[in-house]
Amino acid sequence: MRAQRFDIREAVRADAAEIAEIEKLCFSSPWSLENILREIEGNALARYIVCAAGRRVVAYAGLWAVLNEGHITNLAVHPDFRRRGVGAAVLEALLERTRRCAGLTDFTLEVRASNDAAVRLYGLAGFRAEGRRRGYYTEPLEDAIIMWLRKE
Ligand SMILES: CC(C)(COP(=O)(O)OP(=O)(O)OC[C@H]1O[C@@H](n2cnc3c(N)ncnc32)[C@H](O)[C@@H]1OP(=O)(O)O)[C@@H](O)C(=O)NCCC(=O)NCCS
C-alpha cells in the first residue's frame, strides 16, 4: 500500500465547505458553513488548522485563545481517515503551534462522556478529566467531561 502524505496547515476560507462536510458526518449538531467562516475569518481569538491529504481536507481542529489558555472548540477526522494517527497528529500540531505562536500554556475542552475514542486520544496527549458539566450536550442529552492539560 502506498503511504499517504498528510499536510497540516492553518485553515483558510477555501477550507470552510470541506470542514462543514466533516462536521455533518461527525456531530449530531454540526456547525453551519456560516459559523465556520465566522470562526476562520471573523473571530480574532480563534485558531484553526486543517490536515490535508493532497487537496482534500480530512481533519481539522481549533481553539479560542483566551489569555494563556486554549479552549479547544473542535477536533474531527473524516470517517474514512480514522485510526491512522491523524487525530493525534492534528491535536499535537494545534498544541505546539499555539504554544509557540500565541503563548498558550494550558488547554481545556469539553467532551461527551460516552466519547471513548476522543477521551482516550486526549488522555494520550496528557489531558486529565477535572470535572463534569451535567446535561451539557443535547441530541442526545449527555454530560460533558471537562479535561485540562496544564503546563507543569
Ligand atoms: C476522536 C477522533 C478525532 C479520533 O481521530 P483518529 O484520527 O481516528 O485518532 P487516532 O488514529 O489519532 O488515534 C489516537 C488514539 O486515540 C484512541 N482512539 C481513536 N479512535 C478510537 C476508537 N474508535 N476507539 C478507541 N480508541 C480510539 C486510541 O488510543 C488511538 O491510539 P491507537 O490507534 O494507537 O490505539 C475521531 O474518531 C473523530 O473525529 N470522531 C468524531 C468527532 C469527535 O468526537 N471529536 C471529538 C470532539 S471533543
Side-chain angles (χ1 to χ4, degrees):
M1 194 174 76
R2 199 158 60 89
Q4 188 147 26
R5 186 178 144 74
F6 294 106
D7 288 313
I8 298 179
R9 56 169 174 77
E10 197 173 321
V12 294
R13 180 183 178 83
D15 299 320
E18 283 177 287
I19 292 175
E21 284 308 310
I22 298 173
E23 274 280 313
K24 280 189 214 155
L25 292 168
C26 293
F27 298 110
S28 56
S29 306
W31 279 0
S32 66
L33 184 60
E34 292 70 33
N35 288 147
I36 293 161
L37 281 170
R38 206 174 311 125
E39 283 291 287
I40 292 175
E41 292 195 318
N43 181 352
L45 300 179
R47 307 274 188 281
Y48 282 85
I49 60 174
V50 295
C51 175
R55 300 178 63 144
R56 180 178 177 190
V57 172
V58 300
Y60 65 96
L63 58 71
W64 293 342
V66 181
L67 301 175
N68 65 316
E69 291 177 358
H71 293 245
I72 295 179
T73 54
N74 257 349
L75 165 68
V77 177
H78 189 288
D80 293 347
F81 289 83
R82 291 189 187 157
R83 298 312 296 262
R84 301 188 199 182
V86 170
V90 170
L91 177 61
E92 208 42 62
L94 183 69
L95 301 178
E96 190 275 324
R97 286 172 195 218
T98 55
R99 281 184 181 119
R100 187 161 39 82
C101 301
L104 302 187
T105 57
D106 297 351
F107 298 87
T108 186
L109 56 90
E110 282 96 10
V111 55
R112 277 189 185 269
S114 65
N115 193 345
D116 292 337
V119 169
R120 215 181 269 207
L121 182 153
Y122 292 128
L124 288 172
F127 282 80
R128 296 290 167 255
E130 292 196 11
R132 214 168 168 100
R133 294 195 208 285
R134 303 269 166 216
Y136 182 78
Y137 293 104
T138 55
E139 298 178 53
L141 184 69
E142 190 175 351
D143 293 354
I145 297 175
I146 304 165
M147 301 185 85
W148 278 92
L149 172 63
R150 298 180 193 277
K151 188 178 180 187
E152 284 153 23

